[in-house]
Amino acid sequence: MAISILSLCVILGGTSILPGLNERLNRDLEQTIPSAFKVKTVPTSTKTEKSYGVWIGGSILASLGTFHQMWLSQAEYQEHGVNLLRRKCP
């Protein structure tokens, strides 16, 4: 599954503004994973998207009803540990 995630990487956040980051990340990933898998990195087009895209994505994710089912409290985590996280978020 981890390799399939590399088929589409969206580059966001303040660091994504660095010149050449998309090309370097794409090249480094292609050198790291087996050639049978295709790597595709997608930079956002505007500085605003790069600066706020992570926050916007997080707010969209948090608003999904299915995401609320995966929440766990600190008390739940302390009582059940990482196994509870694995059950709630397979």
Side-chain angles (χ1 to χ4, degrees):
M1 178 176 131
I3 300 248
S4 66
I5 292 172
L6 297 175
S7 65
L8 180 59
C9 297
V10 178
I11 303 170
L12 295 168
T15 307
S16 66
I17 298 169
L18 294 172
L21 177 68
N22 182 54
E23 294 79 14
R24 180 176 177 186
L25 182 60
N26 201 48
R27 183 183 64 243
D28 290 352
L29 288 172
E30 285 177 343
Q31 293 173 356
T32 304
I33 66 168
S35 60
F37 297 96
K38 181 168 174 38
V39 173
K40 182 177 181 184
T41 56
V42 179
T44 55
S45 58
T46 68
K47 188 173 181 180
T48 301
E49 287 177 335
K50 290 180 179 188
S51 298
Y52 299 107
V54 174
W55 187 89
I56 293 167
S59 67
I60 291 169
L61 180 64
S63 70
L64 298 175
T66 55
F67 185 67
H68 292 229
Q69 297 167 1
M70 293 186 264
W71 288 2
L72 60 141
S73 68
Q74 181 178 0
E76 288 176 309
Y77 184 81
Q78 288 174 339
E79 183 178 341
H80 301 285
V82 74
N83 291 328
L84 177 61
L85 181 62
R86 290 183 182 134
R87 278 198 319 263
K88 284 190 164 195
C89 309

